[in-house]
């Protein structure tokens, strides 16, 4: 992965972008009293994209979604929807549809009334026409037979479908979803991810989905916007974020099992570059070493990042250097197993084919190919990628 | 309840004594209301009327003062309830949704402090005030006085019912194209209906039974039934039979209402006033 792609992340849905993005977010900031919830976010969202706002709780992703919806006002900056400045418009004039975390289905109404609710916002609509549209959307999401039920009589999955139908029944500019799957169990959640994505593709609509679940983001998103502490950290396709994390935070947050991050230092003795950790060291390949030396980062505190799937193991030391660990736990996951290895006080995780042969208590020498290694300039979340 | 038979017997014994203690005055009122004035004072007292008579009830029904008093009570209490609950609902919504902006965090407490002052503190000043502006002995005056005490209570109760309605319900309606007022009418108000019923009942019972303000602020032109009762105890004889008959009459409407709306009341006064949650 070249560093140049870092500066210009290519939107996956670039093909459908016209000259004008559907949504433009310009320098949006939000402060609550003293605390900064969101800082100077710029973002263009093309038509037809499934965009994921990802980040830990309190990172600003929901705040941005609510600002787009008009439920929260931006302290600074502008929001343009389909070319129109909506920064000061109330939510009811923005033509946006949103699925809330608690779904916000009305318990005093039936499923039918809930789905019809957005259509009744404009007075004097034809009743038969409303019925036709509600039934069409209900059939689409497979709840045609449940329309007379009250919300309290529906299961979690059925409620989710009602919420989806209510969102689909209008033709809004954009669909927003705020942790919409959080009330579902793991199996249903997976099912709905696929289903929402299918509808999004089929109807060619734009969706912005907020989640703190990186796996959900990776599976659903055309592009992911990653937030941390009110700042936009990186924008890119799931694969960009996975292979080409801009900072240590991105590397830490994206991918399961999580990336192994080891503190290290690059030293230069008589023309040979070494990467050294607490209990290990590798000779550094010349191209990597050159880049680090050019950046003046020899002897600085750095972090080495290596994905569990890129680790390889042996029972004896590797000729080119290796990290000596002791196997702690072996977790089979489908066709692979996650092997937790103790390294000093810390831990490394490897993802190996099932029944690779490592058992609890075994000594394992781990190594990797340097083309997969990521080196970060520092040890905190904001540390930028060096290679 | 305990699984031990002894424990269960103790509970039953306690509840039986409690029930007798609670119901005895009511039984005694019914008993007395069917007695003649002479038998009321009979020694030893009779537990079943010896000379069964409905004279006291006939006095209530066409005795001149009693029925007009009930009419006045009905007019004042119903008007006060409708107004207090209407104002309290709107104010409660405002305080629930925009409380920090309009009233600060301690607003709920300030609303309740109005109930901490004994009404007698306000009664006499109100009398002089009302006299100056001609509100003494009028429906409007008494209704206004009741509002002063009931609006804070209704507001405080409705505020907590509105607090139970998730914000997202309203936000979803805004995004679907509904204005603030239509959202309130279509989404929020139906959800706090049990709360409105519970609040109405409490406010109405307060106004229906209110004695002190009615005594001070009315009496000639209008007179609700509570101040009528002590007039039956003045002079040379306490008309216990008439007092009990009038009281039993007065108790019927609240009892009926509580029986009819007990589900609303229980739901409204316990947690989860929002329908079907």
């Amino acid at each position: 992965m070249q560093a140049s792609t870092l500066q210009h992340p290519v939107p996956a849905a670039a093909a459908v972008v016209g000259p004008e993005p559907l949504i433009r977010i310009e320098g949006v900031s939000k402060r609550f009293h003293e605390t900064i919830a969101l800082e100077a976010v710029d973002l263009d969202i093309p038509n037809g994209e499934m965009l994921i706002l990802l980040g830990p709780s309190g990172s600003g992703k929901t705040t941005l979604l609510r600002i787009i919806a008009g439920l929260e006002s931006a302290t600074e900056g502008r929001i343009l929807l389909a070319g129109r400045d909506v920064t000061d418009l109330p939510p009811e004039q923005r033509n946006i549809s949103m699925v809330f975390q608690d779904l916000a289905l009305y318990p005093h109404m039936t499923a039918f009334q809930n789905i019809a609710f957005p259509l009744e916002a404009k007075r004097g609509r034809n009743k038969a026409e409303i019925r036709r549209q509600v039934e069409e959307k209900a059939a689409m999401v497979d709840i045609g037979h449940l329309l007379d039920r009250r919300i309290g009589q529906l299961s979690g999955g059925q409620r989710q479908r009602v919420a989806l139908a209510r969102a689909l029944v209008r033709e809004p500019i954009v669909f927003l979803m705020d942790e919409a799957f959080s009330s579902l169990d793991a199996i249903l959640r997976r099912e709905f991810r696929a289903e929402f994505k299918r509808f999004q593709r089929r109807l060619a609509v734009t969706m912005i989905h907020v989640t703190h679940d990186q796996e959900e983001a990776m599976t659903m998103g055309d592009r992911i916007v990653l937030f941390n502490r009110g700042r936009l950290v990186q924008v890119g396709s799931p694969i960009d974020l996975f292979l080409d994390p801009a900072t240590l935070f991105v590397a830490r947050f994206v991918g399961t099992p999580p990336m192994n991050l080891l503190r290290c230092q690059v030293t230069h003795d008589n023309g040979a570059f070494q990467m050294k950790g607490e209990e290990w060291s590798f000779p550094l390949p010349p191209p990597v070493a050159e880049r680090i030396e050019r950046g003046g980062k020899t002897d600085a505190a750095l972090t080495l990042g290596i994905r569990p799937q890129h680790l390889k193991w042996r029972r004896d030391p590797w000729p080119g250097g290796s990290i000596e660990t002791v196997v702690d736990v072996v977790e089979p996951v489908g066709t692979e197993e996650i092997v937790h290895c103790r390294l000093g006080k810390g831990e490394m995780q490897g993802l190996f084919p099932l029944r690779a042969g490592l058992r609890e208590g075994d000594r394992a020498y781990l190594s990797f190919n340097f083309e997969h290694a990521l080196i970060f300039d520092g040890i905190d979340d904001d540390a930028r990628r060096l290679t | 309840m305990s699984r031990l038979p002894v424990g269960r017997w103790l509970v039953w014994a306690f509840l039986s004594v409690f029930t007798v203690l609670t119901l005895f005055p009511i039984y005694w009122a019914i008993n007395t209301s069917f007695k003649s004035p002479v038998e009321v004072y009979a020694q030893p007292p009779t537990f079943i009327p010896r000379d069964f008579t409905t004279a006291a009830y006939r006095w209530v029904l066409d005795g001149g003062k009693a029925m007009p008093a009930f009419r006045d009570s009905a007019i004042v209490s119903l008007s006060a309830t409708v107004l207090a609950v209407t104002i309290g609902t709107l104010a409660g919504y405002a305080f629930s949704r925009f409380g920090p902006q309009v009233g600060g965090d301690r607003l709920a407490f300030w609303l309740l402090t109005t109930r901490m002052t004994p009404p007698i503190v306000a009664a006499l000043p109100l009398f002089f005030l009302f006299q100056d502006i001609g509100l003494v002995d009028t429906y409007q005056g008494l209704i206004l006085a009741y509002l002063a005490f009931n609006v804070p209570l209704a507001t405080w109760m409705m505020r907590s019912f509105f607090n139970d309605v998730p914000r997202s319900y309203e936000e979803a309606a805004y995004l679907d194209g509904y204005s603030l007022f239509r959202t309130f009418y279509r989404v929020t108000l139906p959800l706090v209906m049990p709360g409105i019923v519970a609040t109405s009942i409490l406010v109405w019972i307060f106004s229906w039974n209110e004695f002190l303000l009615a005594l001070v602020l009315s009496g000639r032109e209008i007179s609700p039934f509570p101040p009528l009762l002590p007039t039956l105890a003045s002079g040379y004889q306490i008309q216990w039979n008439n007092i009990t008959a009038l009281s039993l009459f007065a108790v019927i409407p609240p009892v009926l209402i509580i029986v009819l709306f007990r589900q609303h009341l229980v739901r409204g006064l316990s947690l989860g006033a929002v329908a079907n949650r």
Side-chain angles (χ1 to χ4, degrees):
Chain A
M1 216 32 63
Q2 265 70 52
S4 61
T5 54
L6 239 166
Q7 267 69 47
H8 310 282
V10 181
V16 291
V17 188
E20 188 89 329
L22 182 71
I23 301 171
R24 168 162 281 174
I25 294 157
E26 281 181 7
V28 166
S29 296
K30 176 74 180 177
R31 280 184 290 276
F32 296 101
H33 305 294
E34 306 290 282
T35 43
I36 297 166
L38 209 56
E39 202 172 321
V41 171
D42 290 299
L43 192 63
D44 278 359
I45 303 161
N47 196 4
E49 185 174 59
M50 173 70 96
L51 185 79
I52 312 288
L53 307 184
L54 176 68
S57 60
S59 60
K61 56 192 192 304
T62 299
T63 304
L64 180 60
L65 192 80
R66 291 175 62 83
I67 289 172
I68 296 172
L71 297 170
E72 214 82 70
S73 61
T75 314
E76 278 159 32
R78 297 201 306 160
I79 305 278
L80 288 107
L81 268 187
R84 187 168 69 133
D85 186 342
V86 298
T87 315
D88 298 319
L89 281 189
E92 62 263 32
Q93 289 174 29
R94 294 195 181 191
N95 194 16
I96 284 176
S97 141
M98 178 158 165
V99 179
F100 285 78
Q101 183 164 16
D102 62 3
L103 303 182
L105 297 172
Y106 303 134
H108 61 297
M109 298 183 190
T110 62
F112 180 93
Q113 289 167 326
N114 266 287
I115 302 170
F117 189 77
L119 296 176
E120 289 165 356
K122 284 211 182 75
R123 287 169 210 264
R125 286 249 189 140
N126 182 337
K127 279 237 164 93
E129 174 62 16
I130 290 179
R131 173 157 288 278
R132 194 189 62 73
Q133 288 200 36
V134 171
E135 280 169 358
E136 181 193 311
K137 294 299 185 303
M140 207 158 118
V141 299
D142 262 348
I143 48 158
H145 57 297
L146 300 171
L147 285 175
D148 294 331
R149 299 257 186 104
R150 280 188 179 251
I151 297 308
Q153 299 167 305
L154 300 174
S155 71
Q158 290 167 338
R159 289 181 198 190
Q160 197 81 35
R161 288 171 189 280
V162 174
L164 177 57
R166 182 167 80 175
L168 293 174
V169 79
R170 280 197 303 149
E171 274 161 22
I173 296 174
V174 59
F175 292 88
L176 309 181
M177 291 195 287
D178 182 12
E179 308 254 9
F181 306 131
S182 56
S183 58
L184 299 172
D185 62 47
I187 296 170
L188 271 179
R189 197 177 305 175
R190 201 154 296 163
E191 206 174 285
F192 274 105
R193 279 180 207 159
E195 191 148 340
F196 271 62
K197 189 154 182 177
R198 195 162 347 139
F199 280 118
Q200 185 261 335
R201 288 277 185 272
R202 204 167 102 197
L203 305 170
V205 293
T206 313
M207 274 192 184
I208 305 178
H209 179 39
V210 161
T211 182
H212 62 268
D213 179 347
Q214 60 89 21
E215 197 185 317
E216 188 166 301
M218 300 294 274
T219 54
M220 285 181 79
D222 292 325
R223 274 198 307 163
I224 296 173
V225 183
L226 186 58
F227 288 89
N228 188 30
R229 282 182 272 141
R231 291 225 176 95
L232 193 159
V233 182
Q234 190 172 0
V235 186
S237 70
I239 228 50
D240 283 342
L241 264 65
F242 187 78
L243 295 177
D244 200 10
T247 68
L248 195 52
F249 172 78
V250 183
R252 206 194 299 274
F253 199 79
V254 171
T256 29
M259 186 184 280
N260 296 299
L261 297 166
L262 305 173
R263 289 188 181 193
C264 64
Q265 225 176 12
V266 171
T267 55
H268 188 190
D269 310 310
N270 340 318
F273 285 90
Q274 285 275 328
M275 173 174 269
K276 284 184 182 156
E278 245 171 69
E279 294 166 8
W280 51 271
S281 73
F282 287 99
L284 211 53
V288 181
E290 268 166 36
R291 202 172 301 169
I292 287 172
E293 194 180 32
R294 232 185 298 130
K297 297 296 177 187
T298 36
D299 298 322
L302 305 176
T303 305
L304 166 70
I306 182 84
R307 295 253 172 230
Q309 38 277 82
H310 294 144
L311 281 177
K312 40 192 189 171
W313 66 275
R314 269 168 51 144
R315 293 192 190 275
D316 308 304
W318 294 75
S322 49
I323 305 173
E324 185 187 338
T325 65
V326 177
V327 175
D328 202 9
V329 180
V330 179
E331 279 182 309
V333 279
T335 58
E336 288 160 319
E337 54 194 26
I338 301 171
V339 179
H340 297 253
C341 304
R342 255 199 321 269
L343 168 69
K345 270 171 261 157
E347 188 196 69
M348 289 183 77
Q349 292 181 22
L351 191 66
F352 304 127
L354 201 61
R355 290 186 232 284
L358 282 174
R359 297 258 172 80
E360 206 173 302
D362 285 359
R363 197 164 297 274
Y365 291 87
L366 303 177
S367 182
F368 52 88
N369 198 327
F370 254 97
E371 71 185 63
H372 295 311
L374 307 176
I375 298 168
F376 296 90
D377 180 12
I379 54 171
D380 52 20
D381 275 354
D382 298 330
R384 315 266 333 155
R385 266 270 299 295
L386 286 173
T387 65
Chain B
M1 198 166 283
S2 167
R3 248 173 284 143
L4 286 166
V6 179
R8 183 175 288 218
W9 275 110
L10 279 174
V11 169
W12 276 100
F14 173 76
L15 287 178
S16 306
V17 172
F18 187 77
T19 307
V20 169
L21 282 176
T22 311
L23 291 181
F24 187 79
I26 295 167
Y27 151 71
W28 199 251
I30 296 170
N31 180 27
T32 307
S33 68
F34 287 109
K35 288 178 181 175
S36 66
V38 179
E39 196 187 338
V40 168
Y41 289 100
Q43 286 296 343
T46 49
F47 283 80
I48 293 166
R50 229 180 303 122
D51 301 322
F52 187 87
T53 169
T54 55
Y57 288 93
R58 272 181 273 123
W59 173 83
V60 170
L61 290 171
D62 47 44
K65 274 186 178 173
M67 290 323 276
F70 279 126
R71 188 200 59 211
D72 289 347
S73 276
I75 290 171
V76 171
S77 62
L78 288 176
S79 311
T81 303
V82 169
L83 286 170
V85 172
T86 306
I87 298 168
T89 301
L90 296 174
Y93 180 75
F95 287 138
S96 167
R97 294 309 191 231
F98 313 104
Q101 289 106 296
V102 291
D105 296 334
R106 293 190 184 80
L107 184 96
F109 174 74
W110 288 119
L111 285 172
L112 275 187
T113 54
T114 59
R115 305 287 296 189
M116 293 179 184
T117 331
I120 188 83
V121 173
L124 285 174
L126 270 181
F127 174 77
F128 290 119
L129 256 169
F130 279 17
Q131 209 174 31
D132 285 348
I133 51 177
L135 280 175
V136 172
D137 245 343
T138 61
Y139 290 132
Q140 298 93 304
L142 208 48
I143 291 167
L144 205 61
Y146 287 177
L147 285 182
F149 286 90
N150 281 334
V151 166
L153 177 73
T155 305
W156 183 79
M157 285 184 69
M158 289 313 300
R159 174 182 162 277
S160 62
F161 292 129
F162 283 119
N163 281 347
D164 286 347
V165 177
R167 283 297 270 271
S168 62
Y169 286 17
E170 287 165 15
E171 291 175 345
Y174 300 151
L175 282 165
D176 283 340
Y178 285 80
S179 65
L180 184 77
F181 288 101
R182 287 187 73 204
T183 301
F184 178 73
Y185 182 71
R186 286 285 314 263
V187 176
T188 322
L189 202 57
L191 288 170
V192 296
M193 252 358 251
I196 290 181
V197 172
T199 308
S200 303
I201 291 174
L202 282 192
V203 168
W204 179 75
I205 288 176
F206 171 86
S207 315
W208 177 256
N209 288 338
E210 205 286 326
F211 169 73
L212 184 72
L213 291 169
L215 180 74
V216 174
L217 299 176
S218 68
R220 273 185 297 272
E221 300 295 319
I222 65 159
S223 172
F225 77 85
L228 182 63
L229 284 165
T231 66
L232 304 176
S234 57
Y236 52 92
Q237 190 194 28
I238 301 177
Q239 306 167 34
W240 282 117
N241 54 339
N242 290 345
I243 290 174
T244 50
L246 186 69
S247 303
L248 288 168
F249 249 83
V251 160
I252 293 169
V255 167
L256 274 182
I257 284 173
I258 288 176
V259 169
L260 285 175
F261 289 97
R262 64 183 181 282
Q263 279 174 329
H264 279 90
L265 201 59
V266 168
R267 203 160 57 185
L269 293 179
S270 53
L271 287 172
V274 175
N276 283 330
R277 286 197 69 218

